Amino acid sequence: MVKKSGKKAWFIGLSCFFLPMALSLSVSFLVKTYIKVDQPIASSLYAAGALTSLSSFHDIACFLEDLKLLNSELGRLSMSASMISGSCSIASAFLAFTITQTNKLADKSKPDTHKISTGIILACCAMLLCIVFLVRPIMFWMIRQTPEDKNVKEEYIFLIFVMVMVSSLVGEYGGQHYLVGPLMLGLAVPVGPPLGAAIEDKLEFFITGLLLPLVAVSRATRIDIFTIGFHNFVTVMFVAMFSIIGKLMGTILPALFCRMPYQDALLLGLIMNVQGVLDIQFWLRALSLKLINGKVYGSLMLLMVIVTGTISPIVKVLYDPSRRYLTYKRRTIQHSKSNAELRILACIYHDENVPTIINLLEASHPTRDSPICVYALHLIQLQGRASPLLIAHKRSHEKYSPFNQSTRIINAFSFYEQDNHGLVAVNSFTAISPYTTMHNDICTLGLEKRISLIIIPFHHQPTVLSALHSSPGIRKVNHNVLNNAPCSVGILIDRRSTKAAPSAFISGNRSSYHVAVIFLGGADDREALAYGARMGEDTNVNLTVFRFIDRNERVDKLSEKQMDYDAINEFRMHAIDNENVEYTEEEVSDGVEFVAVIRSIESSFELLIVGRQHGEESSHLLHGFEEWNEYPELGIVGDMLVSCDTKSEGSVLVVQQQPRISSHSLENSKYRYGQVQ
């Protein structure tokens, strides 16, 4: 990960380490020389300045996850930069503690203390080599022995827990802190499922819910704020503030040089100043080696509470990742030019999503004049690793993805592209992030690639594996995409009752495909009509548009209703000579008649397209159905079509037209500081 970090991250990370270190040590020297302070405090100033200059990747990652910024642009750059500065911090702390410890352990009558420090470092290197070349291959063997879609054996997890204790014991005997061995071992664990995710599942609740609070409390009990003294606290605070200023300047200046906005550069500097549990562990180690005394330790703890407690609300209030998704252009199918390329972002959670999505894409009528560019995005929950990833799979290496499931999905879309050579272009991506912020990857890709339609699978799929495909996390992702998308969104529901083989659906030689559009009125229905009209131009697609008219409708000149009439008239005029297109008007007087018509037609079509929300003139027909709406993200009609009593196995596409337009768009901003690997 450090090796793959971009130049900006390296620039910011190194600057964020060396500048505060130089500044704090210089100020410590001036304070110690020209200001009268207590001797114990004076002897600890250098260590206090150095310790507050260190950065922790782990603490920053936890901070970003708590604020749901882990895979935002600012979060990605913070993670990359903190990897650089955190690596420098751990290496420098390791060397400093090793030298200090050997000086204390060495016999004063023997001048060769450097031999002891060399021995400790060599012992640590030997343990590292053993972990890399012996333990890590064993872990890969465990992964190979675990069948796909199966859990790792309990024996393997138990063996790894034993390795943790053994590495801690070996580290102690080698002259290091007991945490050094487990830290190296943790870095050697292959990230993600199945092994990394299994370890996280076993330990996360126990560690974060029980042990971590106990550790925080036990560390805090070492503080006696009444014995610190105001003068001593101010002295330590003065030195530490220059470390904070150094981190701010070491982050802001390179960021501005890279053309980041001033506010984002400032927030990045604040994030790099976050401190946490690993910093406390450094301070405890320094306290045990008598590099600092109890008063300095207490001052640093109080400073951490003040600084990190202040940074958190500031970042939360000032940084909103969704603000950049506001665009000043209409990115919809309705407003796309007929001879322009249609760009679709197809999101995939599971293998079972692929056949239905490819069926939908095949019906979307790619032509030489209006080809389709598909961005296939495989979404994986972040497990067993700290850093999110957004991977762009190169065409020359698309079959060699490090994720087996991604490889199958990439190959399926590659075959689809080959079957439609010259008409369809496919670009494949894999996004690994937590469900709480996964929508940032989707919306960012939709913005940067100028997507017109994002297709996201419904969170519940009524297959034989329905227990695996009814995820509250996926449902939350879909909600967030609907609320923040920079373009139109379609939720695709697969109502097949059995699991079919994906290869059976990937074919460009379909005889016919029956599609229906349900039109009541409103922007979302107009978007659904525009997408259906494009499908209707395909000779292999039989399109039927059902327009529902309320018999009790009042005749007025509402602008929304006029736009509906214009959209219908334009559709009918373009489809007048198309024998594959049928237009039907259904007059209904209430919701009961409306439901009866829907139930009578739904089983006759392989795909039903409907808008998520409808115009105000349709409120009479749908009155009362809101109380029975189980899935609000599908709207009233969409929820009705996926209800448990339906007998149809056709797919349903619920369309929402681009909801948010701004006159001040960030789409064309000149800075791009997120990392895509």
Side-chain angles (χ1 to χ4, degrees), residues 239-263:
V239 174
M241 286 303 296
F242 277 91
S243 297
I244 297 172
I245 294 172
K247 284 185 184 180
L248 281 174
M249 301 306 296
T251 304
I252 292 175
L253 294 179
L256 293 179
F257 180 78
C258 296
R259 297 184 179 180
M260 278 182 60
Y262 294 100
Q263 179 174 310

Side-chain angles (χ1 to χ4, degrees), residues 27-49:
V27 172
S28 299
F29 172 77
L30 295 176
V31 171
K32 188 176 180 180
T33 303
Y34 296 104
I35 300 177
K36 184 178 180 180
V37 294
D38 296 341
Q39 181 57 34
I41 300 296
S43 60
S44 303
L45 285 181
Y46 287 120

